[in-house]
Amino acid sequence: MDFQEYASEILRGEKIRLRPLQEGDLPRLAAWWNDPAWMVLQQAAIFPTPEASTIEMFRNWSGNDNPRGFGFSIEDIESGKLLGHVAVWGVDPVVRAGTLGIIIGGEFVEQGFGTDTMRVVLRYAFEELGLNKIELNVWEFNTRALRTYERVGFVVEETRRAAAFHAGKFLSQIHMGILRSEYLEARQKP
């Protein structure tokens, strides 16, 4: 194996590359995070936060200064445009599991960027960092995200009923996970 080639490709997919957060990314990420149309997909309640607080949150997620998590900006390989952000946090060093969160800017959804990002993040987590499990939570009404997660190998592990309240209705949160063994098995399929 050529380890230099491996290293140069580990954070690249077919359409995206993961790169360190840059200061110039922060206003755009904060705007996406605080847009109510996208906030409803990320949080249990629509509560816009001050830009400074949101920016600090992204900085914390992207510090990459401890083994309990990592975060990257997502960039379109072709255009160099910022597409979103992905992070894994709460890595338990004993069971080697972490929780994943991703946000793709609204104008970039349904173009394959999310699926490509998920594949790259899983490869990085399992093949480079040696994690054994990645978990995530998704709202039941976010069918686009559910399809993406299932496409890359996540399975439903449990449903947390009545975990959010939007539009006068209680809604469920779906907890999904993928094990390293499942990831490796899926990679071997044609």
Side-chain angles (χ1 to χ4, degrees):
M1 169 181 273
D2 181 339
F3 287 101
Q4 288 180 307
E5 182 179 336
Y6 160 83
S8 67
E9 298 297 319
I10 192 70
L11 297 176
R12 282 179 72 95
E14 294 177 13
K15 301 176 130 199
I16 66 95
R17 77 179 184 105
L18 302 181
R19 62 163 172 77
L21 177 75
Q22 298 170 359
E23 281 298 308
D25 299 343
L26 291 165
R28 190 82 172 134
L29 292 171
W32 286 330
W33 187 262
N34 280 311
D35 179 345
W38 298 98
M39 186 181 297
V40 73
L41 302 177
Q42 302 288 335
Q43 302 172 45
I46 299 171
F47 284 120
T49 56
E51 183 180 57
S53 298
T54 306
I55 284 173
E56 191 58 30
M57 176 186 72
F58 279 103
R59 278 191 185 122
N60 287 335
W61 287 346
S62 302
N64 296 341
D65 54 3
N66 75 62
R68 296 197 47 90
F70 61 86
F72 296 106
S73 290
I74 306 164
E75 181 178 87
D76 181 1
I77 290 173
E78 191 174 300
S79 69
K81 287 183 182 177
L82 175 69
L83 303 171
H85 190 271
V86 64
V88 171
W89 67 91
V91 173
D92 180 321
V94 175
V95 297
R96 297 188 335 230
T99 303
L100 183 141
I102 182 172
I103 184 169
I104 301 287
E107 61 267 39
F108 302 114
V109 297
E110 295 192 12
Q111 297 176 46
F113 295 122
T115 301
D116 197 32
T117 299
M118 294 300 293
R119 288 185 175 125
V120 172
V121 168
L122 293 176
R123 183 175 69 223
Y124 181 69
F126 293 134
E127 295 183 23
E128 180 62 16
L129 301 182
L131 297 182
N132 186 54
K133 184 177 185 183
I134 298 292
E135 303 172 313
L136 57 79
N137 294 306
V138 60
W139 302 112
E140 67 177 313
F141 57 87
N142 193 349
T143 56
R144 181 177 48 242
L146 281 164
R147 283 191 313 269
T148 297
Y149 302 144
E150 288 171 346
R151 187 177 306 121
V152 299
F154 281 83
V155 297
V156 174
E157 295 186 339
E158 66 181 345
T159 299
R160 194 169 150 237
R161 298 176 303 144
F165 187 77
H166 294 295
K169 297 180 184 177
F170 284 101
L171 302 161
S172 296
Q173 183 181 56
I174 299 170
H175 182 79
M176 303 180 82
I178 182 171
L179 300 174
R180 182 178 188 276
S181 60
E182 294 165 337
Y183 160 81
L184 292 172
E185 183 179 315
R187 279 203 61 178
Q188 293 175 355
K189 292 181 182 175

